[in-house]
C-alpha cells in the first residue's frame, strides 16, 4: 500500500505538477512530519516528494531540481526561515548569497528546519542555513581583523545591550544593510518560536548574536560617537 501511494504521488508530481502542488499545499506538512517521525526512518521514502519555495525560480521546487541546478563548487543546500516568502526575501542575511547567485530554499513552516535537520543531506549535499552565510576563509579572516581593529566599538555595544545579546561581532554576510541578528549554533529563531508555540511557558531561547557591517555609514557614525559622545553612542546601540 505504501509503495502504491508513493508511486501515485511520484506520477502526479511528474505528470500533473499543478495538481501535485495543490495536494502539497494541503498535505505537505504531514509528509514532512512523517519524514521526521522515528528519527527519520521514512526520510528516504519521502524526501523526493517534498517541495520548497525557491528564491531564484519563484515557485515550489523539489530537492532534486535544486541540486540539479547547483554550481559545481557549491557545497551546501542553502535555506532561510521566516513567517512568509515575502519576509524571507527581504532578510539582510540572504543578501550575500543572492549576490553570489545562490539559490535559497524558503522555509515558511515551523517544521521545516526540523525536517532539514532530520534529512541532514540530500544527494551528499548538506543543508545549511543562510544565517550561517557563504563566507569563505578570506572573509572570515577579514572579520577577525575587523574585530580587532574595532574592538572598542564591539565591546561598547555589548556592554550597552548587556544580556540582550550573547555576542557583538563584525558580519561576513552583510553588504548594503547595517546590521542583522543571527542565532548561535543549535537552536534557530524559528525553532524557538516552535517551542514557545508548543510550550508557552518554555524558557528555551535561541542565542542572539548582533552582527554589524563595518563598511556601512551607520557603523562609522557609531564608532565616532563612541569616542566623541558616549551617550549618543548608547542610543545608536
Amino acid at each position: 500500500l505504501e509503495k502504491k501511494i508513493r508511486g501515485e504521488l511520484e506520477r502526479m508530481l511528474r505528470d500533473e505538477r499543478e495538481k501535485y502542488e495543490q495536494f502539497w499545499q494541503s498535505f505537505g506538512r504531514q509528509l514532512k512530519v512523517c519524514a521526521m517521525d522515528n528519527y527519520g526512518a521514512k526520510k528516504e521514502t519521502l524526501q523526493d516528494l517534498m517541495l520548497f519555495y525557491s528564491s531564484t525560480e519563484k515557485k515550489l521546487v523539489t530537492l532534486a531540481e535544486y541540486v540539479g541546478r547547483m554550481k559545481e563548487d557549491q557545497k551546501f543546500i542553502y535555506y532561510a526561515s521566516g513567517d512568509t516568502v515575502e519576509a524571507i526575501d527581504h532578510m539582510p542575511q540572504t543578501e550575500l548569497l543572492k549576490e553570489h547567485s545562490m539559490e535559497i530554499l524558503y522555509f515558511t513552516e515551523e517544521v521545516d528546519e526540523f525536517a532539514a535537520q532530520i534529512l541532514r543531506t540530500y544527494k551528499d549535499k548538506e543543508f545549511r542555513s543562510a544565517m550561517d552565510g557563504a563566507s569563505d576563509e578570506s572573509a572570515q579572516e577579514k572579520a577577525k581583523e575587523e574585530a580587532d581593529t574595532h574592538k572598542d566599538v564591539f565591546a561598547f555595544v555589548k556592554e550597552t545591550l548587556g544580556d540582550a545579546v550573547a555576542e557583538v561581532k563584525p558580519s561576513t554576510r552583510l553588504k548594503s544593510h547595517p546590521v542583522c541578528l543571527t542565532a548561535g549554533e543549535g537552536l534557530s529563531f524559528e525553532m524557538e518560536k516552535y517551542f514557545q508555540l508548543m510550550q508557552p511557558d518554555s524558557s528555551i531561547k535561541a542565542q542572539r548574536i548582533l552582527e554589524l557591517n563595518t563598511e556601512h555609514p551607520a557603523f562609522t557614525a557609531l564608532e565616532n560617537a563612541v569616542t566623541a559622545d558616549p551617550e549618543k553612542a548608547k542610543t545608536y546601540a
Side-chain angles (χ1 to χ4, degrees), residues 12-108:
M12 193 191 308
L13 175 60
R14 182 181 64 250
D15 301 333
E16 300 178 83
R17 183 60 173 255
E18 185 176 344
K19 185 177 179 181
Y20 183 82
E21 289 184 10
Q22 291 174 354
F23 163 83
W24 179 258
Q25 296 291 359
S26 299
F27 300 104
R29 186 179 187 279
Q30 283 77 5
L31 287 186
K32 285 180 280 192
V33 171
C34 288
M36 293 159 50
D37 190 42
N38 197 21
Y39 303 101
K42 297 289 185 181
K43 66 180 183 180
E44 299 292 336
T45 302
L46 298 171
Q47 61 185 2
D48 286 320
L49 296 172
M50 293 184 181
L51 297 179
F52 299 99
Y53 187 87
S54 162
S55 64
T56 57
E57 301 302 299
K58 306 299 180 184
K59 62 181 181 181
L60 293 171
V61 301
T62 66
L63 295 175
E65 289 165 348
Y66 178 101
V67 171
R69 287 189 291 268
M70 286 176 64
K71 298 179 180 180
E72 287 187 16
D73 59 345
Q74 185 177 335
K75 299 178 181 178
F76 304 103
I77 297 172
Y78 289 106
Y79 66 86
S81 302
D83 293 331
T84 64
V85 166
E86 292 75 18
I88 301 172
D89 212 33
H90 289 89
M91 290 173 65
Q93 294 93 327
T94 64
E95 189 175 34
L96 192 60
L97 284 172
K98 289 178 179 177
E99 185 179 271
H100 291 149
S101 300
M102 294 288 188
E103 184 175 2
I104 307 169
L105 298 178
Y106 288 178
F107 287 1
T108 55

Side-chain angles (χ1 to χ4, degrees), residues 190-208:
E190 292 305 308
M191 289 180 178
E192 177 187 294
K193 289 181 186 176
Y194 174 79
F195 284 121
Q196 289 179 347
L197 182 66
M198 296 295 103
Q199 306 170 18
D201 298 328
S202 173
S203 59
I204 298 175
K205 292 281 187 182
Q207 189 181 52
R208 281 152 170 75

